[in-house]
Amino acid sequence: MSNIVWLDFNDAADQPSEDQPSKPTTQEIKQRLLERLPDVLGSLLPRGVTRGTQFLVGDLDGNRGKSLVIELTGTKAGMWIDFATNDRGDVLDLWGQVRGFNRHSQFPDLIADITQWLGDPAIASYTVPTQPKVPTDELGQYSHKWDYTDANGKLIACVYRYDTPEGKEFRPWDVRARKMAAPNPRPLYNQEGLATADSVVLVEGEKAADALNSVGITATTAMNGASAPTDKTDWSPLSGKDVLIWPDNDPSGIDYAQAAAQACVAAKAASVAILQIPAGQPAKWDAADAVAQGLDSGEFIAQADKQIIKAEAGTIPTFKLGELLDDDSPIPADLIAPRVLTPSGMLVFGGAPKVGKSDFLLSWLTHMAAGAEFLGMAPPRPLRVFYLQAEVQYHYLRERVKEIQLPASRLLVARENFIATPQLRLILDEDGINQVIPAINRAFNDGLPDIIAIDPIRNVFDGGDGGGENDNGAMLFFLSQRVEQLRHAINPEAGIILAHHTRKLGKKQFEEDPFQALAGAGSLRGYYTTGMLLFRPDETRSARQLIFELRNGPGLPQFNLDKVDGEWRPVETSDRLVNQSHGEKLDAERRRKQDIILQLIFEEAAQGRVYTANQFAEAFEGKAGLGANRTINERLAVLATKGYLKFFRDTDHYNLPPLVRSKYGYLCVEKMTIPGSNALNHETGELIPSQIPVLPTHYKCPQTGAALPVENPNIWIYQEDNL
């Protein structure tokens, strides 16, 4: 018997049948749509109209209008363009856009949808519905999806979460615009639930909102949680609601809560409060963690401490005259008497450059730490003082404190109570505060500081997106969102002392209202409890004036003082410490031009415009009261000699035009920036304009006038302030 080889064909792949139609190409499918183009458009966009050889409709949502134009005949049949958005494509793109399919990542599903409409079994062979529809992009497959709907359940947007090797990332999808971006404005989550609720808990993120909703507590979140831009979010669904904000247990959570609270107030919420996370909870602890731990969230919310931002109607505390008259409880003791600094108060100590603010403040604070009187200002006991300073390096700081003359009997306690930083190079933004808080806690171990002093605020200033310290909105942000956040995290009863610079005012203006000289005075004066100014009436003499503005007590008389034999003392001096009128006017005019020139260079750079000295003088001749070309060049030369202006030559680093016939280079001022490329915000998925810091490469030697290389571009040293 011959050898027979038996073959089992049970596992062989399906063989093509002569009866099975072949798969049409993409071009053939497209051609079939074009052959039925009027029917296609009538099905997709029934509100459109035909005008000659074109089909007109308002947009891809099918609204009436003429912005979207589709060609009906010729070689361009099926081609379309939306003149409102500049979106365009062919008939397959049109089908995908209207029906919600991504032509690149969901092509089989797109073909399947066309198949169903055409009713062609041959085309059906394109579909492979073996896996559920899963949107993907460069991050891979999403791990979770949240739908944002309006109060009637109509889908507005989706948020997809991706778990990448670098961590979690989120991508918003705008349903109306059909693109991976957040809608404008951004909707709140769970609007169907909000519509019937009287009380709402606002949390950070959809996960936390879902957790509370699952236990019967109506919750919502702004899209992107703590990263949500409050000005781009539609908060109107919270109108008339009692809103409790439950932040995550971290500094960004505090920022989010404060910003969201103001947005809720603006949206006319009935009441707004911020839940205070109890001590002992881990970092980033949130509502989802509470539910996962089995905590009775309703009871927890009812019992937790809250910061009232807007009280419920009728709950704002009120007192009858009789109650005020009958209350004989003691007034809280001053931190610094007489009413100079009260518990939870804020004192702003201002003065012009080189007037001696830091030296005065150092002596004053060490006396408070010693429990010793200083120029009539006295603490009730030795105070614990944390001095966060950003000007004096360590070796020069220790040199200064050794010159302070403290009472020998008080020196021992002051050695432990007064704690200072060397020159810090940080901004009091979220990251900066996260560094400062543990530093203060370590410094005092289990104790709490009585005073937190920051000197000067301009070196650590963070105004959010509002600008610099001269901007009232930015100043309010810094005080409420940064300084108050720091105080709340350390000791809510601590007094705050902020050292700040003053702007130049005319003599008459200063005499009428000296505290208007504080940069950002509008916000500062509405916020602080005490203002103090150190002022030199006559630049030719060393005597200063100390001026007070108290909110919590009777006014204090100003007095003259000077540093004599290393000690600050009151002095008797003439009431007519003024320069002669002509010299004073010249000084004021020089300082005015200085401020304008420096500000113009800074602001122009932020718009992408940089100048050499000659270019600047030519561009601003006769503008802003700066005078002629020659006058401007003279002021630029003086500012460069004094260190207020430096120069940079590395144009390739900033993609700037090369320098031509310039002795020094492009003008540069401290903290100057130019626009950079757009950066991706990984939390929101949006492109954000960036600013690139500009650092000097050369400076003008005060002795020779030569352009010399800068040793450390991050350090700016100004010469005497006699400009």
Side-chain angles (χ1 to χ4, degrees), residues 100 160-161 165 202 223 230 241 340 389 427 495 547 657 667 696:
Y160 295 91
R161 169 175 166 167
L202 175 64
M223 187 176 288
T230 55
K241 313 289 185 186
V340 174
Q389 64 91 24
I427 301 298
I547 308 172
L667 299 173

Side-chain angles (χ1 to χ4, degrees), residues 546-566:
L546 191 62
I547 308 172
F548 298 88
E549 182 179 50
L550 271 60
R551 298 275 190 267
N552 291 340
L556 296 177
Q558 66 184 47
F559 60 89
N560 299 310
L561 69 157
D562 204 350
K563 194 170 185 181
V564 181
D565 297 329

Side-chain angles (χ1 to χ4, degrees), residues 486-621:
L486 180 62
R487 168 161 45 194
H488 181 79
I490 299 299
N491 177 14
E493 296 297 314
I496 298 290
I497 296 178
L498 304 176
H500 195 31
H501 66 281
T502 55
R503 297 179 289 107
K504 300 299 178 185
L505 292 183
K507 179 177 180 294
K508 182 177 181 181
Q509 291 176 296
F510 191 89
E511 289 176 348
E512 292 177 350
D513 190 356
F515 288 92
Q516 197 60 35
L518 291 167
S523 293
L524 275 173
R525 298 183 74 184
Y527 207 95
Y528 65 57
T529 56
T530 299
M532 282 176 53
L533 288 181
L534 192 63
F535 172 61
R536 195 195 304 269
D538 188 342
E539 294 294 333
T540 66
R541 305 189 185 189
S542 62
R544 287 85 153 175
Q545 289 180 351
L546 191 62
I547 308 172
F548 298 88
E549 182 179 50
L550 271 60
R551 298 275 190 267
N552 291 340
L556 296 177
Q558 66 184 47
F559 60 89
N560 299 310
L561 69 157
D562 204 350
K563 194 170 185 181
V564 181
D565 297 329
E567 182 179 1
W568 289 91
R569 303 176 187 174
V571 295
E572 294 293 333
T573 185
S574 169
D575 292 333
R576 298 182 58 83
L577 289 177
V578 292
N579 292 328
Q580 292 186 1
S581 176
H582 180 65
E584 187 178 68
K585 289 180 180 179
L586 292 178
D587 286 343
E589 179 62 10
R590 282 195 293 267
R591 294 186 185 283
R592 184 190 69 82
K593 289 182 178 179
Q594 167 203 332
D595 292 343
I596 292 175
I597 288 172
L598 297 179
Q599 190 68 23
L600 280 173
I601 294 172
F602 182 88
E603 292 176 350
E604 288 287 296
Q607 300 298 319
R609 297 183 288 271
V610 296
Y611 303 87
T612 64
N614 285 333
Q615 290 170 345
F616 183 87
E618 291 172 357
F620 293 96
E621 181 177 21

Side-chain angles (χ1 to χ4, degrees), residues 366-367 369-373 379 381-382 406-415:
T366 52
H367 278 75
E373 181 181 329
R381 53 178 171 77
L406 289 172
S409 61
R410 305 290 183 91
L411 183 58
L412 186 61
V413 66
R415 290 174 65 98

Side-chain angles (χ1 to χ4, degrees), residues 16 49-50 99 131 159 189 243 276 300 302 324 352 379 415 419 440 490 508 521 554 612 638 699:
V49 296
T50 300
R99 301 281 287 176
Q131 298 293 332
V159 172
Y189 187 59
V243 180
Q276 304 297 291
F300 171 71
L324 297 173
R415 290 174 65 98
I419 296 175
I440 298 177
I490 299 299
K508 182 177 181 181
T612 64
V638 172
Y699 73 99

